[in-house]
Amino acid sequence: MFIRGQIFSCLCVFAPLRLVFLVLFLSSPIFAQVVSGTITDAQNAPVQNANVSLLKQNKILSQAATDTEGKFSLASNGEKNLILSVEAQGFTSLQKRLSDLQNPIVIVLSPAKISEEVIVSITRTESRLSETPASVVVLNRETIEQTAAQSVDDTLRQVAGFNLFRRSSSKTTNPTTQGANLRGVSGSGAARTSVLLDGVSLNDAFGGWTYWTRVPKIAVENAEILRGGASAFYGNSALSGAINLTTKRAENNKPILRFETSAGTQRTYDGSLFAAFGKNGWNANLAVEDFQTAGYIPVEKAERGVVDSNANSRYRNGFFTLEKRFNEDKSNGRQDAKFFENARIFMRGSLFSERRDNGTRLTKNRTYFRQAVFGTDFGDEKFGAFQLRAWIEAQVYDQTFSAVSADRNTENLTRIQRVPSQARNANLFWVRTFANHAISVSADAREVRGFSDESIINNNRTTSLVSAGGREFSYGIFAQDFWRVTKKLNLNFGGRFDRWRESDALSTTKNLTGNGQTSVVKFPDRSEQSFSPRLAALYQINDNFSLVASFSKSFRAPTLNELYRAFRVGSVLTQANENLRAERATNLETGANFTGFAKRLVLRGNVFQTEISNPVVSITSSTAPNLITRQRQNVGRTRSRGIELDAEFLLRKNLRFSASYLLVDSRVTSFPANAELIGKFLPQVARQQLTFQIFYRLQDKFSFGLQARFSGAQFEDDQNLLRLRPFFNLDALAIYRLRKNLEIFAAIENVFNNRYDIGLTPNRTVAAPRFVRIGLRY
């Protein structure tokens, strides 16, 4: 009895201590069944609709959104070693170990910073944007969604200096005018900028232009724009720069689903879907888009006739990617497994089809495109990282051409054209870090085959059949070093060697009148080569200022389209030229960057000069009342020099401003064949461009954005006789959030209904009228 009494006494003495320990145990954020707290900003104001998650080994255990008071509550299920993750628009993301937090949990978020921590890869070596010695602009997913633009190319127009050959949108213009150019480098419809989707070229292999409608905008996660010669990285077509669009991959057990649909004026409807899912190392994503618009009549109202009709389009695109990731099995101790740690292998299939009416009853075009991509990434710290990409593609492009009378009341079909083409590509890339150096090397090869098959029509009768085309084979070798010399100085130097050869080129003409004679002209095989060096430096003066300078050479080889295919737009006939040589550019630039106000303000300025020898320009050879004849020719030399300025300012966590300005002088400086063109402005290049964007989010429910663009006057032709007037355009976007992931929006393009000039052929064509659409986004 005595012993039992002593034990009972001891238990009574320690009962309060046991109760204290139990309370502490249950109240600890590590072991509590429910984790709750508050999210605020630096002014102690609650942050509503912040996404709060509990993670264990990168797997989401529970997830919730904060309420109007910034409060959240999550189930932990008694798990240990948890990570609390917080994400909110306008703030820097935050992750903390739950064991480091004290109850009650209060998380204070910092305002988002601009650009400083953005990682870019468009220079073929991953680096922070602030440390990259190049003029690079990055548009992230949030920025892309905050514009009224419906297409990818219209979204990119917020970067001054980005232009297509025509001023109009890809929604209603012929694809052969959709070549992208940067910094006032232009001359014809072929792109002087290399455009890629996840590292795979989007430039048309036969014609050099870009099918922007091949890319579902909803799938684009980031757009990186590199201004200035980029052939040292990407070889052909990167004469004035490069653009890389990237999509998002799902992580394990973190599916992604995006859906958007809208309806608008001009009988315009679209729907798009992006879905991605990953589990047990397998990842898949699907992107599809369907678009149609009845368009508008592009010829100015005062000049219209009976034959004029709407320029419209309908297209469908989509791609499916299947990926397998491999992780090192550390339990078996195999050293060779390390080489394939985090390796991946993937395949992607793409389909695209579109049809367009081009503004008269008889002018139409149609495209059918398909592509298959294979890729693999593997490597380790010892041997470096390897990337292999290979793809094949095939395309059929159909187009009709017509002649229109001076009063535009009569139209006659002049030719029916079909252009089948095929291309094969392969690329091997390697990168490895040695102390302060990141060395990268790549080798690639490409083969393109294509023909233009035409039926020539005269007085409603087919008079001849013409076929012209050939084959091009090219290969390139690239090497560079990204050297962090000191904490303040970064150097980037390297170069690329390219060689290409056109062969099996011929032109066949079968006369269907008279004796039906067939003539064949075989063009001699020809080859060229180019070396594209690049040297660039960035010096960080202090935490706020840095200086940048670079020298490079770049080139663009003439496409099979320019060599062998003629085309007609309105009363302008442009002839092919089988004797064209490559365009070659020498690029110089220097500039300064500033970051301030706690990294919420970023300013960039560059002065540049680009001199191009043998630029390909459409030169007028004859002029008649109903026909202007031009031919693609190498003009001796041109020079583009100017200033570009960029600004980004996060005024408040919910108010963002950005602006971009370009002043460029692009002229012919030498042309022995026609001295009268010396001093003339390059066609389709505006002397000044200014863009700005403002986006404001009110109480996390309502958002509003404005995007404005001013462009100076430019000339349609090489002789500077056909002047396209300057214009100002304003777009607006309003978004209302119904619930966490569901929004309705209204977008207006061309708010002031400004019917600015887009062409003189020689009839004046004008931009689309005000366009309004309402949509739903998930």
Side-chain angles (χ1 to χ4, degrees):
M1 292 291 295
F2 174 77
I3 295 175
R4 271 188 287 178
Q6 292 292 324
I7 294 175
F8 179 77
S9 299
C10 289
L11 290 174
C12 292
V13 170
F14 285 105
L17 292 177
R18 292 202 313 272
L19 181 62
V20 170
F21 282 126
L22 181 62
V23 170
L24 290 174
F25 180 83
L26 293 177
S27 63
S28 169
I30 305 176
F31 302 108
Q33 298 294 314
V34 176
V35 177
S36 59
T38 306
I39 310 296
T40 71
D41 62 14
Q43 285 73 43
N44 202 33
V47 177
Q48 184 183 359
N49 279 333
N51 184 23
V52 187
S53 307
L54 281 178
L55 308 177
K56 184 169 184 178
Q57 297 178 346
N58 292 324
K59 182 179 179 180
I60 298 177
L61 294 183
S62 59
Q63 194 172 31
T66 55
D67 60 20
T68 55
E69 297 179 352
K71 297 184 181 298
F72 69 91
S73 181
L74 298 168
S76 68
N77 300 325
E79 295 281 352
K80 301 179 181 180
N81 301 321
L82 298 180
I83 300 293
L84 185 70
S85 173
V86 183
E87 296 179 351
Q89 288 188 333
F91 296 93
T92 300
S93 299
L94 179 144
Q95 285 191 351
K96 283 192 175 183
R97 290 187 178 277
L98 201 57
S99 57
D100 295 336
L101 301 174
Q102 299 295 325
N103 275 332
I105 296 176
V106 177
I107 302 294
V108 180
L109 297 181
S110 301
K113 301 172 183 178
I114 298 177
S115 301
E116 182 67 17
E117 301 304 323
V118 173
I119 302 299
V120 296
S121 59
I122 196 167
T123 56
R124 305 298 297 270
T125 300
E126 287 192 349
S127 59
R128 290 186 179 91
L129 178 60
S130 59
E131 298 176 354
T132 303
S135 178
V136 179
V137 177
V138 178
L139 305 180
N140 59 21
R141 181 69 200 167
E142 184 178 16
T143 304
I144 293 170
E145 288 184 339
Q146 290 172 357
T147 66
Q150 200 169 13
S151 62
V152 174
D153 57 297
D154 288 340
T155 302
L156 295 178
R157 290 181 194 271
Q158 63 187 275
V159 179
F162 170 84
N163 291 297
L164 305 190
F165 182 60
R166 297 286 181 195
R167 289 168 156 185
S168 50
S169 167
S170 64
K171 294 189 293 185
T172 52
T173 56
N174 190 282
T176 61
T177 66
Q178 294 178 22
N181 303 292
L182 294 165
R183 283 185 171 174
V185 175
S186 183
S188 65
R192 269 73 176 176
T193 299
S194 182
V195 185
L196 308 104
L197 176 65
D198 290 333
V200 176
S201 177
L202 280 173
N203 289 5
D204 185 86
F206 180 82
W209 51 79
T210 303
Y211 281 100
W212 298 99
T213 50
R214 269 181 51 194
V215 183
K217 182 186 170 187
I218 199 170
V220 177
E221 190 69 18
N222 287 289
E224 299 178 15
I225 302 98
L226 169 61
R227 297 176 293 195
S231 291
F233 305 123
Y234 298 103
N236 189 20
S237 297
L239 185 82
S240 66
I243 298 170
N244 188 29
L245 309 174
T246 58
T247 60
K248 188 173 180 64
R249 294 196 301 266
E251 301 175 10
N252 277 342
N253 299 311
K254 293 184 179 180
I256 301 168
L257 178 62
R258 298 172 185 161
F259 172 75
E260 183 175 313
T261 185
S262 69
T265 56
Q266 302 166 28
R267 299 202 308 274
T268 302
Y269 309 96
D270 79 291
S272 55
L273 169 75
F274 177 75
F277 180 75
K279 188 172 184 180
N280 299 327
W282 287 95
N283 296 288
N285 67 49
L286 171 69
V288 292
E289 184 176 37
D290 190 302
F291 172 90
Q292 68 177 42
T293 180
Y296 71 104
I297 300 176
V299 174
E300 193 172 46
K301 190 173 183 178
E303 300 182 20
R304 291 176 192 168
V306 175
V307 304
D308 293 303
S309 61
N310 283 16
N312 57 52
S313 68
R314 175 164 189 173
Y315 66 81
R316 294 186 178 96
N317 61 40
F319 63 78
F320 176 74
T321 308
L322 183 63
E323 172 186 283
K324 172 62 178 175
R325 286 186 172 271
F326 302 91
N327 294 314
E328 175 191 7
D329 185 359
K330 297 181 181 180
S331 62
N332 60 19
R334 290 175 53 189
Q335 294 298 314
D336 61 334
K338 280 186 119 182
F339 189 69
F340 295 98
E341 181 180 3
N342 296 322
R344 73 180 185 114
I345 186 172
F346 73 90
M347 294 185 68
R348 171 178 289 178
S350 302
L351 290 174
F352 168 71
S353 66
E354 83 168 0
R355 61 169 181 80
R356 296 173 182 264
D357 295 331
N358 292 315
T360 67
R361 296 177 179 180
L362 298 180
T363 54
K364 306 174 186 297
N365 71 268
R366 183 176 59 188
T367 304
Y368 181 68
F369 173 89
R370 53 201 183 277
Q371 182 186 68
V373 182
F374 166 82
T376 181
D377 302 338
F378 55 91
D380 62 9
E381 293 183 0
K382 181 178 180 181
F383 295 102
F386 292 83
Q387 293 180 355
L388 174 65
R389 302 289 185 270
W391 64 95
I392 57 173
E393 58 190 48
Q395 176 180 282
V396 176
Y397 176 74
D398 295 320
Q399 184 160 347
T400 60
F401 301 89
S402 69
V404 177
S405 62
D407 62 5
R408 304 196 65 80
N409 290 325
T410 306
E411 180 182 25
N412 294 305
L413 197 63
T414 58
R415 63 180 67 195
I416 301 174
Q417 190 176 75
R418 165 161 285 200
V419 184
S421 62
Q422 306 85 38
R424 296 182 292 177
N425 302 259
N427 174 275
L428 178 63
F429 177 78
W430 171 81
V431 61
R432 189 183 186 282
T433 301
F434 299 89
N436 299 346
H437 299 264
I439 309 294
S440 53
V441 178
S442 76
D444 57 71
R446 183 179 79 157
E447 182 184 44
V448 182
R449 297 178 65 90
F451 273 82
S452 175
D453 300 323
E454 301 181 18
S455 299
I456 308 300
I457 300 171
N458 190 15
N459 293 325
N460 297 319
R461 179 184 177 190
T462 304
T463 58
S464 61
L465 302 177
V466 179
S467 180
R471 172 191 174 199
E472 180 184 84
F473 178 78
S474 61
Y475 66 88
I477 301 172
F478 153 82
Q480 76 162 348
D481 181 12
F482 188 91
W483 181 16
R484 303 179 190 276
V485 183
T486 67
K487 290 183 179 180
K488 292 181 175 289
L489 178 63
N490 291 337
L491 292 179
N492 181 206
F493 55 90
R496 177 183 168 103
F497 174 80
D498 287 90
R499 183 176 176 83
W500 61 98
R501 177 182 178 84
E502 284 99 14
S503 60
D504 302 331
L506 57 84
S507 175
T508 302
T509 302
K510 183 177 182 181
N511 193 340
L512 299 182
T513 61
N515 57 9
Q517 184 178 0
T518 299
S519 61
V520 179
V521 178
K522 292 186 177 181
F523 302 111
D525 294 352
R526 38 175 273 168
S527 62
E528 286 188 85
Q529 62 189 38
S530 179
F531 177 64
S532 306
R534 185 176 189 273
L535 173 63
L538 182 145
Y539 184 73
Q540 193 79 39
I541 298 174
N542 53 39
D543 290 341
N544 301 108
F545 286 96
S546 62
L547 300 176
V548 181
S550 70
F551 163 81
S552 66
K553 288 183 176 288
S554 53
F555 78 98
R556 187 191 71 90
T559 64
L560 293 178
N561 173 71
E562 293 171 304
L563 292 169
Y564 308 119
R565 174 183 172 266
F567 71 95
R568 180 168 179 160
V569 178
S571 299
V572 180
L573 173 65
T574 302
Q575 302 282 13
N577 185 352
E578 72 276 7
N579 296 312
L580 292 175
R581 311 303 291 179
E583 301 174 331
R584 301 173 189 271
T586 301
N587 312 283
L588 289 167
E589 69 176 275
T590 185
N593 303 322
F594 171 78
T595 304
F597 295 93
K599 300 179 181 179
R600 293 186 293 114
L601 172 66
V602 175
L603 301 174
R604 294 184 293 269
N606 291 285
V607 179
F608 63 88
Q609 176 171 296
T610 299
E611 289 195 355
I612 304 176
S613 60
N614 296 324
V616 177
V617 179
S618 296
I619 300 299
T620 303
S621 56
S622 66
T623 301
N626 295 323
L627 183 65
I628 299 173
T629 303
R630 296 174 182 161
Q631 185 187 44
R632 304 179 183 102
Q633 294 183 20
N634 289 115
V635 176
R637 187 177 293 273
T638 65
R639 182 187 61 217
S640 298
R641 56 186 178 188
I643 300 171
E644 62 188 13
L645 304 171
D646 299 291
E648 297 175 76
F649 191 22
L650 189 66
L651 288 87
R652 300 169 55 185
K653 69 177 185 293
N654 56 353
L655 180 59
R656 178 186 294 266
F657 171 83
S658 64
S660 185
Y661 174 73
L662 175 73
L663 172 65
V664 63
D665 185 80
S666 301
R667 298 177 185 261
V668 177
T669 57
S670 172
F671 190 21
N674 186 356
E676 293 183 0
L677 293 184
I678 297 175
K680 300 290 187 183
F681 290 103
L682 288 182
Q684 306 296 346
V685 177
R687 186 174 174 82
Q688 295 189 72
Q689 295 180 49
L690 171 67
T691 70
F692 70 83
Q693 298 80 38
I694 299 174
F695 189 80
Y696 178 64
R697 187 180 301 278
L698 178 65
Q699 297 180 349
D700 208 45
K701 282 286 187 181
F702 179 76
S703 305
F704 181 75
L706 291 175
Q707 303 85 40
R709 180 162 54 101
F710 165 79
S711 181
Q714 64 191 55
F715 291 99
E716 170 79 21
D717 64 323
D718 58 305
Q719 298 175 337
N720 292 182
L721 299 176
L722 305 174
R723 181 177 180 267
L724 304 179
R725 295 166 294 191
F727 73 90
F728 174 80
N729 185 68
L730 180 70
D731 299 338
L733 173 71
I735 303 172
Y736 183 77
R737 177 170 290 181
L738 299 172
R739 49 185 298 184
K740 178 184 175 184
N741 295 320
L742 189 62
E743 299 172 340
I744 57 173
F745 64 89
I748 307 175
E749 298 180 48
N750 195 2
V751 170
F752 298 123
N753 198 31
N754 184 5
R755 308 303 300 277
Y756 55 86
D757 302 339
I758 61 173
L760 282 168
T761 58
N763 294 94
R764 189 178 300 276
T765 53
V766 294
R770 182 187 300 113
F771 172 64
V772 181
R773 64 187 176 111
I774 298 175
L776 183 71
R777 178 187 296 156
Y778 176 80

